[in-house]
Amino acid sequence: MTNKQEKLICNTFGISKLKPFQKKVIKDLSDGRDVLALARTSEGKSICFLSMITLHPKGLLIGILPTVALMRDLVQRCEDSKIRAKKTIFAVELLKNDFMNYDLITILGPTASGKTSLAAALAARLKTEIISGDSRQVYRRMDLGTGKDLSDYVVDGYKVSYHLIDIVEPGYKYNVFEYQRDFLVAYEDIKTRGLLPILCGGTGMYLESILKGYRLLPVPENKELRESLASKSLEELTDILSRYKKLHNSTDVDTVKRAIRAIEIEEYYLTQDVNARSFPEIHSLIIGVDIDRDLRRQKITNRLKKRLQEGMVDEVKALLKEGINPDDLIYYGLEYKYLTLYAVGKLSYDEMFSQLEIAIHQFAKRQMTWFRGMERRGFQIHWIDAEAPLNENVERIIDLIK
């Protein structure tokens, strides 16, 4: 390898010089060692960064492959095409701190901002997997109302794997403690396969519980407290909740039951040692999808109409027919609150649509308030324009990873 070639590699990777190991790998491959053999010896190792270097008469042309999965995909294509190392060589970097600065990519944004399609496009590009950060998409058969949009996980024919969607039955009251537990299982599984996980969602408390490593405990039911709060209105309960330390996700407190549960959680934490449960430190690149307010409102209204046309009312009626208590569906808020009230005859269709549309707009505003609060609490969020072309936003995130 010439000095010119080494300098080009160093400039590309932003390092001062190659380590002896890196030089040896490149030399071995340049001398004709089989690229497929190198890929096979990489199995099981902690490879955090790979680059493809194509020999060229005028030097080296370099392209970036940030994950093991991309390397393996390319190796398979090389094998199919009978390409060998004399034409293509792979430089393998095993030292994490040199090139891979993150354990996780987080993509957040308000409802209807397009964060899921962005996360899926990025996951397809990196050949990695997505962990959902949505408090309601965990429920099975609650598809239209929670906006799962599972078709977004297929990108140009490539199926992106996802986690923490459709994992519990409707009627169950899933909580942030359980989310942390289930997230870690998915996260560690993805990491052990050499991939860089993507966390995508809009539930601020769920996301922050991971990014800040909240030490949470399972909170038992407090019947005495519930009885004392049962006669209070949502406004009164929200005021009571505001007096506690801001642990609970206020963006999701839009029913009396959810507000009482939030107070129950806060009250329990006043008397418990949260340091009894540890959570690993995760260094994440955080991407925020910034969407113009008027455009967001327009997309929310259009999406609501579309989902109603696709059968969202029938989805709720089917859940009620299964025997799920109407109050349990109302507990989930937003679509399930207002559609249930319509299904049981407490609201007309027009009343349901109008009140639900307003509620979703208010919810999106609360989400943005939460995310701005995260910035004040020390999180660096890289905001990208929701209206920019999808491929440009993917490339920008790739640049931030390096």
Side-chain angles (χ1 to χ4, degrees):
M1 179 170 54
T2 66
N3 290 335
K4 180 180 178 180
Q5 291 171 333
E6 181 174 350
K7 183 178 180 180
L8 180 56
I9 293 173
C10 291
N11 288 341
T12 301
F13 295 149
I15 57 178
S16 58
K17 63 179 181 179
L18 291 174
K19 294 181 174 64
F21 169 77
Q22 297 166 332
K23 290 183 179 181
K24 183 177 184 303
V25 170
I26 294 174
K27 183 179 185 302
D28 286 347
L29 291 171
S30 299
D31 288 343
R33 187 180 171 193
D34 191 344
V35 65
L36 304 179
L38 174 71
R40 294 187 185 104
T41 60
S42 300
E43 295 291 337
K45 291 186 178 180
S46 179
I47 301 176
C48 298
F49 186 95
L50 302 123
S51 66
M52 183 183 78
I53 305 175
T54 304
L55 294 176
H56 188 277
K58 295 184 179 180
L60 296 175
L61 303 178
I62 301 176
I64 305 304
L65 294 174
T67 69
V68 175
L70 280 180
M71 179 197 184
R72 291 174 185 162
D73 177 64
L74 183 55
V75 166
Q76 184 60 54
R77 286 190 279 115
C78 288
E79 192 168 39
D80 293 342
S81 303
K82 309 287 184 194
I83 297 174
R84 288 296 185 259
K86 286 185 178 180
K87 290 187 177 180
T88 306
I89 62 175
F90 292 83
V92 183
E93 171 53 51
L94 300 177
L95 300 177
K96 178 177 180 179
N97 292 333
D98 281 350
F99 297 132
M100 185 58 72
N101 298 315
Y102 301 103
D103 305 308
L104 178 73
I105 301 172
T106 299
I107 297 179
L108 55 79
T111 187
S113 62
K115 57 186 176 291
T116 301
S117 57
L118 174 61
L122 180 63
R125 171 71 181 276
L126 300 181
K127 295 294 187 293
T128 189
E129 301 176 10
I130 294 174
I131 304 174
S132 171
D134 188 290
S135 64
R136 300 189 306 163
Q137 291 187 5
V138 297
Y139 297 104
R140 302 184 185 102
R141 301 184 303 287
M142 292 171 58
D143 302 330
L144 290 169
T146 62
K148 289 175 185 171
D149 297 328
L150 297 182
S151 61
D152 285 347
Y153 292 91
V154 180
V155 181
D156 295 329
Y158 178 80
K159 294 182 179 180
V160 175
S161 296
Y162 54 81
H163 302 261
L164 305 194
I165 293 177
D166 293 337
I167 61 172
V168 295
E169 285 295 306
Y172 182 75
K173 292 179 174 59
Y174 192 77
N175 60 57
V176 67
F177 170 81
E178 294 171 300
Y179 177 77
Q180 274 195 325
R181 176 200 65 201
D182 295 339
F183 170 89
L184 281 181
V185 172
Y187 172 80
E188 290 168 0
D189 171 54
I190 296 169
K191 293 289 284 186
T192 58
R193 288 182 278 115
L195 307 179
L196 179 60
I198 297 174
L199 171 61
C200 175
T203 302
M205 183 59 184
Y206 278 26
L207 300 176
E208 194 162 340
S209 76
I210 300 303
L211 299 175
K212 203 163 187 176
Y214 285 153
R215 298 182 176 185
L216 303 175
L217 300 169
V219 180
E221 183 178 310
N222 185 334
K223 291 184 179 180
E224 184 177 334
L225 177 64
R226 289 189 177 195
E227 289 173 1
S228 70
L229 298 173
S231 62
K232 297 188 180 298
S233 68
L234 178 59
E235 289 74 20
E236 291 172 318
L237 293 169
T238 302
D239 180 62
I240 293 171
L241 183 60
S242 69
R243 302 171 196 167
Y244 291 90
K245 181 180 177 181
K246 285 289 185 179
L247 269 179
H248 200 84
N249 185 13
S250 58
T251 61
D252 278 349
V253 179
D254 60 352
T255 68
V256 167
K257 277 194 171 185
R258 292 177 77 89
I260 290 175
R261 178 57 180 168
I263 294 169
E264 186 175 57
I265 291 170
E266 300 291 357
E267 190 67 26
Y268 182 77
Y269 270 80
L270 291 177
T271 61
Q272 301 299 315
D273 179 15
V274 295
N275 292 321
R277 181 174 184 260
S278 63
F279 193 87
E281 182 177 346
I282 296 175
H283 186 208
S284 178
L285 171 68
I286 307 176
I287 304 296
V289 182
D290 188 19
I291 182 170
D292 175 76
R293 177 181 174 274
D294 290 337
L295 177 60
R296 183 186 74 205
R297 292 178 64 85
Q298 179 185 340
K299 289 184 70 173
I300 286 173
T301 297
N302 291 342
R303 190 177 68 171
L304 175 58
K305 291 177 180 178
K306 181 174 181 289
R307 288 176 176 170
L308 286 167
Q309 292 170 355
E310 290 174 346
M312 191 159 57
V313 172
D314 291 336
E315 178 176 282
V316 170
K317 288 181 177 179
L319 293 169
L320 292 170
K321 191 174 181 180
E322 287 180 18
I324 297 171
N325 191 303
D327 287 342
D328 287 335
L329 287 181
I330 290 172
Y331 172 85
Y332 299 132
L334 295 177
E335 290 86 353
Y336 293 95
K337 174 183 177 180
Y338 293 97
L339 287 168
T340 299
L341 292 174
Y342 166 67
V344 299
K346 292 186 178 180
L347 290 177
S348 68
Y349 186 90
D350 289 342
E351 288 172 333
M352 175 272 293
F353 182 90
S354 175
Q355 292 179 30
L356 175 54
E357 183 183 27
I358 292 170
I360 299 174
H361 289 316
Q362 292 172 336
F363 173 67
K365 183 178 178 180
R366 292 197 303 272
Q367 285 179 300
M368 287 304 301
T369 299
W370 183 283
F371 299 144
R372 297 303 184 188
M374 286 177 64
E375 291 182 303
R376 291 192 297 273
R377 290 188 289 275
F379 292 98
Q380 181 182 11
I381 301 177
H382 300 270
W383 292 98
I384 61 177
D385 186 359
E387 297 183 70
L390 185 61
N391 63 324
E392 289 184 13
N393 281 335
V394 169
E395 290 304 322
R396 184 179 173 195
I397 297 172
I398 293 290
D399 288 340
L400 289 169
I401 295 172
K402 297 173 187 177

